[in-house]
Amino acid sequence: MASRRGNAKTQLQSDKYSVLLPTYNERENLPLIVWLLVKYFGESGYNYEIIVIDDGSPDGTLQIAEQLQKIYGSDKIILRPRAQKLGLGTAYIHGIKHATGNFVIIMDADLSHHPKFIPQFIEKQKEGGYDLVSGTRYRGDGGVYGWDLRRKLISRGANFVTQVLLRPGASDLTGSFRLYKKEVLEKLVERCVSKGYVFQMEMIVRARQLDCTIGEVPISFVDRVYGESKLGGNEIVSFLKGLLTLFATT
């Protein structure tokens, strides 16, 4: 029994969590999200690194990230910028290549995802040995704050239609706050062809195809404090096209 406890403790100490933060024009939000990540990882005692993938932000996000690296250390803040905006999927591929953790956390850098939920993600994963843990706005005490009726209808509608057509085995398909086993995320990203708003949904669908186990943690989603939302009419059209493509090919 003592040996088993010792092995569990060794595993806990050896686990490392790489947080991927793709950014584009997030100079106001980045210092706050990094401070919160450092705070909650520090309080929980888990080993971590934060990988900032800036896509040539014209507002000086990268310069802010460089200052944060000086404050928190180059072992905790890893900068892996790209010259231009190349899409969320390729940002994750780029980030994974530089991740040294055996678990990877993806989240938005605009403060819509609160780092306080990360310890719950980690506990949930350990509890069930899940391949991925997804934050859900649509179960338990999860919810959305700061959205107008249009945004809520779009999100709810997207999830409802996806549930009916694809039966993915998860309640929140378009959310982007998740914890993955690194090797699972690598496999999923390799198989995903979608970009933009559809990408997160396809990740869950591909996970189901690979028989990955999925846990869920209720989260509160808060609309961005600074900057403009990147969801527009083109993204909605792309989502519908992507959904139909997935329905036809899965």
Side-chain angles (χ1 to χ4, degrees):
M1 182 65 74
S3 175
R4 190 177 299 173
R5 281 199 299 268
N7 290 338
K9 187 175 182 181
T10 301
Q11 180 62 39
L12 180 65
Q13 291 172 340
S14 65
D15 286 336
K16 184 175 181 180
Y17 298 87
S18 299
V19 181
L20 303 188
L21 278 185
T23 58
Y24 186 77
N25 288 348
E26 300 289 0
R27 64 171 289 131
E28 293 97 343
N29 294 314
L30 191 61
L32 291 170
I33 193 70
V34 167
W35 182 81
L36 287 166
L37 283 165
V38 171
K39 167 182 165 63
Y40 284 99
F41 271 113
E43 289 176 356
S44 60
Y46 295 115
N47 191 13
Y48 72 97
E49 63 184 2
I50 302 166
I51 302 175
V52 180
I53 307 142
D54 186 65
D55 274 5
S57 296
D59 74 340
T61 298
L62 181 58
Q63 287 69 41
I64 296 296
E66 289 169 348
Q67 293 177 36
L68 293 169
Q69 187 180 59
K70 291 176 183 176
I71 293 169
Y72 297 109
S74 57
D75 60 325
K76 293 301 182 188
I77 310 296
I78 318 296
L79 307 184
R80 294 294 179 262
R82 304 189 296 177
Q84 60 187 6
K85 198 172 184 182
L86 298 170
L88 193 59
T90 59
Y92 289 144
I93 293 170
H94 185 68
I96 292 168
K97 289 177 183 175
H98 302 285
T100 60
N102 55 325
F103 289 95
V104 175
I105 294 167
I106 64 169
M107 64 188 301
D108 294 342
D110 62 6
L111 298 174
S112 55
H113 298 144
H114 201 301
K116 69 181 180 182
F117 294 108
I118 288 177
Q120 295 178 40
F121 278 48
I122 295 172
E123 289 165 17
K124 185 73 175 180
Q125 191 283 323
K126 293 186 180 304
E127 172 189 302
Y130 294 107
D131 293 314
L132 74 97
V133 175
S134 180
T136 177
R137 297 162 289 181
Y138 304 125
R139 277 194 182 157
D141 55 1
V144 175
Y145 302 91
W147 274 3
D148 59 19
L149 183 59
R150 172 182 166 273
R151 285 292 302 275
K152 288 182 178 179
L153 287 174
I154 289 170
S155 182
R156 281 283 191 180
N159 272 280
F160 176 75
V161 173
T162 307
Q163 294 289 346
V164 171
L165 291 180
L166 301 179
R167 303 189 182 281
S171 64
D172 194 340
L173 282 301
T174 56
S176 53
F177 193 4
R178 296 174 186 164
L179 164 67
Y180 291 87
K181 290 180 179 177
K182 183 182 177 183
E183 68 271 17
V184 170
L185 180 58
E186 288 172 330
K187 289 177 185 175
L188 293 175
V189 168
E190 283 175 9
R191 285 165 170 75
C192 282
V193 297
S194 304
K195 293 182 174 65
Y197 198 55
V198 188
F199 178 79
Q200 303 296 356
M201 177 181 70
E202 185 179 353
M203 292 283 278
I204 293 289
V205 173
R206 300 299 178 198
R208 184 203 63 184
Q209 288 180 326
L210 294 176
D211 294 322
C212 296
T213 53
I214 303 173
E216 292 191 315
V217 170
I219 63 164
S220 302
F221 178 95
V222 180
D223 197 22
R224 61 166 49 246
V225 178
Y226 299 109
E228 295 181 1
S229 171
K230 300 176 178 73
L231 175 64
N234 290 337
E235 283 74 17
I236 296 168
V237 172
S238 296
F239 166 78
L240 293 172
K241 287 180 179 177
L243 174 59
L244 293 174
T245 300
L246 282 175
F247 180 62
T249 59
T250 59

